[in-house]
Amino acid sequence: MKFFQLLGGLVPLVGLVAGHPTCNHECNRGCWSNGFDVLSDWESKWPITGKTNIYELEITEVDEWVGPDGVVKHGAMLINGGFPGPVLRGNWGDRFDVIVTNKLKYNGTSMHWHGLHLWNNNINDGVAGITECPIPPGASKKYTFIATQYGSSWYHSHISSQYANGIVGAIQIDGPASYPYDQDLGVFPINDWYYDSVETILQRMMDPNNPYRPGSPGSPPESDNILFNGTNINPNGPGGEYAKVRLTSGKRHRLRLINPSADNTFTISIVGHTMTVIEADFVPVQPYDTTEVYLGVGQRYDVVINADQPAGAYWLNATLSSNGFCGSSKNPYPAAIVTYEGFEDSIPTDPGVAPVDTYCADDLSLRSLVPMSAPKTEFNPRPEDTLSVSLEVNTNISKVFWEVNGVPIDVSWEKPTLQYVLDSDLSFPLEANVIQLPDETVWTFWVIQNVSPIPHPMHLHGHDFLVLGRSELLPDPTQGSGPVFFDPAVDTEKLTFDNPTRRDTTMLPGFGWLVIAFKAGNNPGAWSFHCHIPWHMSQGLSVKFLERPDIMASKMDLPSIGENCNAWREYAPTNPFQKFDSGL
């Protein structure tokens, strides 16, 4: 029997489920509804509420947009006229109907629901060139999905790094939790912000002759600012305002941290306070206290903050790694303000102590409340199970690529992967980077080998994965002797197979290795596995797992992709700006 430290003392979770969602309250967040609680395995069952949440998202662009910090951003792309887009909120088991209308001048768009598994619903994953054709200007598309998971995440366009122009919003799926709290403060995205357009940045990053860092082809620019919940002051002059998190003395507050950045990763800390981590990437975890959490691009942490300090104002700091390999910013001290009642207008005076520098590494001590283990006896790494990540400068065409096993992905917007499946044609071009998983439910193991010094936040669509292990961290990979390769004879014993960290995004170390496992065959579709730095996606750092193509037509309405694809194919020849990157 599992016990949790609740406000009313130790209470067994078994038997607490009532027949109505109101059983979830501040003294018992583990309860949800009849037959469902925080120990329910959301991969095998979820409530069906019968409720549909309808949202309309209109994508527009403004060439010279005055951003949240008062500084002009070039080529901003906005959702419903602002940044970030509206929060998509509902309950565990709700249906979502989201109508996306493209009002961009020339560009296609799409919308992806980060971290949602979309069981038997790959057609709504929103990845241009894989699960759909882009939505052409002037057209709309309705996405439909059931929230089979609960927690915090975000949505974004998934085409040519476009989301870094501003096509981003948060998702909040209310459900049970592993720890008590009094108030839910909602989502709190923290992201880098660039005054140049994505197109300008990407053209320069792909040009080996004009890198942002001299001598480092493919290197990214510093972010111009860091935004907290869509706002911040201008660090170099007047404009903007601090984001504020308001606490009530003596109460516990749930805060949903999200990193929807393009490049920057952060260690989050609140001066004078501890946080209790209760969830990571939609996965409820065994609660633990900490003074800091590392947020890679695409990662989420739900934390509970106990307002037990003297009433006042405190900095919420987002600290970047000192080594510069996982982002840098022109804002030297990005921060928001945590305020208690009566101090809403106060500016903190104590800067706090710098958190431990993790050198771009996320926490692998997390343990899922719903245990999942991989069979060690089935782990037998073969060369075909290794994904080697490398940077390549192609001097013939003067272009910088990120490759997987020597090939940068290049998708076709006119013929996405699902079109091949619909046509019963599984003969893919090499640059499609398709890995076929035709078998019924089976554990798959993958060694990701990084032969570059740059770490990568690796994200999987359609599944969580188990992080079995990774190589030891190097504060500065460039100062070592080169890549550290996975050695099965030595490193297998270092892996954790029994309920290791489970999530959908984790960090691949620079010049190191990462081993993950996930159960394939139970969610048919074409699922992307990619670095979540959009620049790197555009430069090719992605593969796609084609899972059970033989049963896809019986599990989803594959022909439904045709209407939008026909509209895109009609528009594409007239588009004055043709695809110049991978398309992702």
Side-chain angles (χ1 to χ4, degrees), residues 391-407:
L391 181 72
E392 174 68 21
V393 178
N394 189 320
T395 55
N396 294 327
I397 59 174
S398 192
K399 218 168 189 180
V400 180
F401 294 102
W402 280 101
E403 300 178 336
V404 181
N405 291 346
V407 180

Side-chain angles (χ1 to χ4, degrees), residues 557-578:
D557 184 10
L558 279 177
S560 67
I561 70 172
E563 180 179 358
N564 183 64
C565 275
N566 288 337
W568 173 258
R569 290 171 190 139
E570 182 179 353
Y571 167 73
T574 69
N575 185 354
F577 300 101
Q578 296 298 303

Side-chain angles (χ1 to χ4, degrees), residues 315-394:
W315 289 117
L316 185 157
N317 292 312
T319 305
L320 283 79
S321 176
S322 62
N323 67 14
F325 286 100
C326 46
S328 56
S329 180
K330 295 176 182 176
N331 184 341
Y333 303 107
I337 298 176
V338 172
T339 69
Y340 284 65
E341 290 177 321
F343 291 85
E344 289 81 0
D345 297 324
S346 299
I347 300 295
T349 57
D350 181 2
V353 178
V356 175
D357 194 336
T358 70
Y359 303 113
C360 313
D362 53 343
D363 186 0
L364 296 191
S365 69
L366 307 172
R367 295 295 176 262
S368 172
L369 274 183
V370 180
M372 179 177 282
S373 299
K376 184 177 181 180
T377 55
E378 296 182 19
F379 179 66
N380 182 27
R382 304 166 301 172
E384 57 265 37
D385 300 328
T386 296
L387 304 177
S388 180
V389 173
S390 60
L391 181 72
E392 174 68 21
V393 178
N394 189 320

